[in-house]
Amino acid sequence: MALKSKVSSLSGDSSSSSTLYPSASLVTSSAASSPLSSLFPVSMQPAGFSTTLFTAVVPQKHQKVDEHDCVHGWLETMKASSPPRKEHLNDNNLDEASFSATKALYYNWMEEHPSALDKLEDIAKEAEKKQVAVFLDYDGTLSPIVEDPDQAYMSDEMRSTIRKVATYFPTAIITGRRRDKVYDFVQLAELYYAGSHGMDIMGPAEGCNGVKANGFKDKNNMGNDIVFFQPASEFLAIMDKVYKELIIKVKDVEGAKVEHNKFCVTVHFRCVKEENWSTLAEIVQTVLQKYPDLSLIQGRKVLEFRPAIEWHKGKALEFLLKSLGLENTSDVLPLYIGDDRTDEDAFNILRDRGIGYSILVSTVAKATSASYSLRDPSEVMIFLQGLVNWRALQDGNLPNGCAHIFGH
Ligand SMILES: O=P(O)(O)OC[C@H]1O[C@H](O[C@H]2O[C@H](CO)[C@@H](O)[C@H](O)[C@H]2O)[C@H](O)[C@@H](O)[C@@H]1O
């Protein structure tokens, strides 16, 4: 396979540019004032919008890789996806025109991708007659982006929110991480997990909340029935080889880290100085050239090797819907929340099928197939909590912390 066809689309990293737009506590949302605001516990209600904080950089557009020079292309996008950090900016280097342009860009984008917090009422209305299923990305969606990927813990509050979500709706985590690693972070046995960008799927065969899993079953090592699917199993040995090779080759690039994600291998450059990015990109290219069956994608400050097969998070979403017997589009309401370029495959599936709600987690304007937005994991939690509270009300149960709101 020609190298130029092996590089998939690229994704920006808004984590370091969250200062471009109002911070999480300065949410643009009318949720707090909508009738549905009562679904959010008081402590979780989003604050009103304040215009105080905008800083300098207009988010860069996703750039196409130069087909004749991969390293150069990667470098461009590595840079484009890394706007200056907060400490390198100050309000003084913002002239009024760029300040206004930045603000306008964000407002325009929010008009096209309104906050899902404002959509909760519509979602609840539609969900009354449908089976809701919840699909969640992990990094940047349930846990904040941090420098050390091994420390990307989600909060206990988030865990308890997801546990409640899963008591009402079939719930899955679809992540680039290896499945066992994400399970260690999430620690909820009742969920479905699709690791390695959907290439390693496992979940309870008995289904969730009365929704029975069907087909694609297997047994785990304790003899229990499970839903299990690994479409890239023949790549295990190759990925081990690539991992070992990369560990050796990047050891002299300060700050570089290689992560084995089972069916994918991830090279992190978040902690690599920019002047060393070209060295790292060259190493990656040299290794990639040796493996014609692998392709490369870029995520948030990562370059990832993966099997060049037609399988991604969107396919995993379809697979899970099918395994759960939720293919009937008129009865099903899938919600997919993610922050990364790789989540676009799942957004596209929902868009093409004309079902569900796709929600991008981002503090910056980004090209996306998602219809709605949330700013960060804290807003994701507020949204999920609102969903839980709505469903609890349906069942006649008063959500914790909401009693006073409903006059009880
Ligand atoms: O599909 P996801 O759940 O979003 O996983 C994608 C990658 O997430 C992790 O990397 C990202 O988060 C790290 C911790 O916050 C951060 O240091 C890194 O820069 C981000 O790209 C994970 O480490 C990767 O293996 C996943 O592929």
Side-chain angles (χ1 to χ4, degrees):
M1 184 189 309
L3 188 59
K4 66 183 178 188
S5 67
K6 293 174 46 171
V7 183
S8 303
S9 57
L10 313 170
S11 124
D13 180 357
S14 59
S15 61
S16 59
S17 56
S18 56
T19 53
L20 298 180
Y21 299 108
S23 66
S25 59
L26 305 172
V27 172
T28 308
S29 167
S30 60
S33 56
S34 85
L36 260 277
S37 63
S38 53
L39 294 183
F40 303 109
V42 174
S43 61
M44 287 183 163
Q45 288 195 9
F49 176 67
S50 153
T51 54
T52 46
L53 269 185
F54 288 98
T55 50
V57 181
V58 174
Q60 310 244 11
K61 274 216 153 185
H62 163 68
Q63 294 175 17
K64 193 174 183 299
V65 170
D66 177 345
E67 293 188 339
H68 303 291
D69 180 354
C70 283
V71 172
H72 175 72
W74 296 348
L75 271 178
E76 288 302 302
T77 51
M78 284 158 89
K79 285 178 190 160
S81 68
S82 307
R85 287 179 175 278
K86 186 182 174 189
E87 59 268 27
H88 300 145
L89 300 171
N90 63 54
D91 286 347
N92 296 335
N93 59 23
L94 246 195
D95 60 46
E96 209 166 306
S98 28
F99 178 86
S100 305
T102 306
K103 207 160 73 169
L105 183 70
Y106 179 70
Y107 279 131
N108 287 344
W109 188 81
M110 283 296 286
E111 267 173 34
E112 285 168 27
H113 308 282
S115 171
L117 296 177
D118 296 340
K119 273 319 244 190
L120 195 54
E121 194 161 5
D122 294 351
I123 296 172
K125 213 174 277 170
E126 198 175 338
E128 270 169 26
K129 300 177 205 85
K130 294 186 179 174
Q131 171 63 56
V132 174
V134 179
F135 299 91
L136 302 162
D137 168 54
Y138 184 74
D139 288 278
T141 297
L142 302 183
S143 68
I145 293 292
V146 292
E147 285 197 345
D148 180 357
D150 294 335
Q151 307 281 322
Y153 302 111
M154 65 188 233
S155 65
D156 288 341
E157 218 181 344
M158 180 67 97
R159 182 172 301 101
S160 120
T161 301
I162 295 170
R163 183 180 286 119
K164 285 186 247 164
V165 170
T167 63
Y168 289 121
F169 317 110
T171 303
I173 308 281
I174 303 187
T175 174
R177 296 243 182 202
R178 56 184 300 143
R179 180 168 47 77
D180 53 350
K181 182 73 172 269
V182 85
Y183 183 82
D184 285 348
F185 283 137
V186 178
Q187 293 173 25
L188 294 171
E190 57 271 48
L191 307 188
Y192 290 81
Y193 291 88
S196 311
H197 293 294
M199 286 182 257
D200 188 8
I201 301 177
M202 195 188 264
E206 66 270 22
C208 254
N209 338 104
V211 177
K212 286 262 172 276
N214 57 13
F216 308 106
K217 287 187 189 164
D218 208 323
K219 285 198 185 295
N220 65 10
N221 47 17
M222 294 167 68
N224 300 325
D225 284 341
I226 49 167
V227 170
F228 183 65
F229 189 55
Q230 292 183 333
S233 51
E234 72 273 24
F235 283 85
L236 265 187
I238 289 196
M239 297 326 288
D240 283 345
K241 210 168 154 206
V242 168
Y243 173 70
K244 285 179 190 146
E245 197 169 333
L246 282 166
I247 288 277
I248 292 166
K249 292 220 160 102
V250 309
K251 73 175 183 335
D252 294 329
V253 182
E254 200 190 327
K257 187 175 169 92
V258 185
E259 189 182 8
H260 198 330
N261 280 320
K262 194 161 184 170
F263 297 108
C264 308
V265 173
T266 304
V267 179
H268 290 263
F269 62 91
R270 185 168 292 280
C271 298
V272 176
K273 285 198 185 122
E274 196 171 325
E275 68 240 37
N276 296 328
W277 288 1
S278 58
T279 309
L280 190 66
E282 272 161 26
I283 292 170
V284 164
Q285 190 199 24
T286 314
V287 175
L288 183 66
Q289 273 171 326
K290 290 171 59 185
Y291 296 93
D293 293 335
L294 302 184
S295 62
L296 191 97
I297 50 168
Q298 264 183 278
R300 300 179 73 165
K301 302 266 182 77
V302 289
L303 298 164
E304 296 190 289
F305 290 74
R306 65 191 282 174
I309 60 169
E310 250 310 291
W311 195 268
H312 45 62
K313 287 183 173 185
K315 296 276 185 191
L317 167 64
E318 285 183 315
F319 173 91
L320 283 164
L321 285 172
K322 191 164 182 188
S323 319
L324 287 164
L326 300 176
E327 288 173 285
N328 180 348
T329 53
S330 61
D331 295 343
V332 180
L333 191 69
L335 310 179
Y336 189 103
I337 311 180
D339 73 315
D340 202 89
R341 170 64 58 183
T342 58
D343 297 307
E344 294 294 328
D345 292 318
F347 297 153
N348 287 333
I349 294 290
L350 295 185
R351 188 198 54 196
D352 294 349
R353 290 188 173 202
I355 54 166
Y357 288 82
S358 50
I359 303 167
L360 178 72
V361 182
S362 180
T363 52
V364 297
K366 272 187 193 170
T368 179
S369 295
S371 304
Y372 303 100
S373 64
L374 289 168
R375 293 184 55 78
D376 52 28
S378 66
E379 279 206 1
V380 171
M381 192 169 74
I382 296 171
F383 175 80
L384 293 175
Q385 189 63 60
L387 201 67
V388 165
N389 291 347
W390 160 74
R391 189 61 172 72
L393 271 177
Q394 296 280 104
D395 284 1
N397 298 325
L398 286 174
N400 282 344
C402 287
H404 62 287
I405 297 172
F406 294 104
H408 292 265

